[in-house]
Amino acid sequence: MNFKEALVGRRSVRRYADRPVGREMVSSLIEAAEAAPSAGNLRAREYYVVARPELKAALAAAAFGQEHVASAPVVIVVCADPARSGRRYGDRGQLYSIQDAASATTCLLLAAFDMGLSGCWTGAFDELMVREILSLPRRLVPTAIVPIGWPAERPAPPPGRDMAEAVHWIEG
């Protein structure tokens, strides 16, 4: 598979086969996430890997009842570390750490697709609940809950977008 195929073929999957995802595969996903671009190469992000059923159920509740979170074999919570970026970039560090976490989440999902796995970037959640469930240090900000598993569905591609509405050329 080439990169363009991964970009075009990846889908948000919310139904997973009853098949475990090995620790080595999860480690490979985290390595791919860590290869993502990062402001100042500070990598102001951390990952919480959750396989315990009761914690996955709690995360699903924190995600406003999104059951695909609980049904996946493993859930990776990606967190930003604003203080890490802030030491170099001051107030802009907050934004840069969130960008770092977002780029890592993208790479993680593309790597999952490349490995035959699927996931769903889940951004709608109660931050305080997630903090409590995972006992996160105060310095971290959860940015994405990413359930990962073997796909049990193949969602259709989303409708295209008129690029004239999205792209603005500023030339000579």
Side-chain angles (χ1 to χ4, degrees), residues 75-149:
V75 175
I76 301 171
V77 178
V78 182
C79 299
D81 186 347
R84 186 174 175 93
S85 277
R87 286 192 290 275
R88 180 179 295 173
Y89 297 112
D91 290 344
R92 292 290 288 179
Q94 172 79 23
L95 172 62
Y96 297 161
S97 68
I98 290 170
Q99 291 173 340
D100 278 7
S103 64
T105 303
T106 299
C107 288
L108 187 148
L109 287 165
L110 288 169
F113 181 73
D114 185 54
M115 295 167 66
L117 296 165
S118 290
C120 182
W121 186 324
T122 308
F125 56 84
D126 182 310
E127 180 180 327
L128 293 177
M129 286 178 70
V130 172
R131 288 178 168 286
E132 184 176 306
I133 292 162
L134 299 177
S135 300
L136 294 179
R138 293 179 58 90
R139 66 184 168 75
L140 296 180
V141 177
T143 59
I145 297 173
V146 186
I148 297 288

Side-chain angles (χ1 to χ4, degrees), residues 16 71 85 154 172:
Y16 307 99
S71 69
S85 277
R154 296 270 181 225

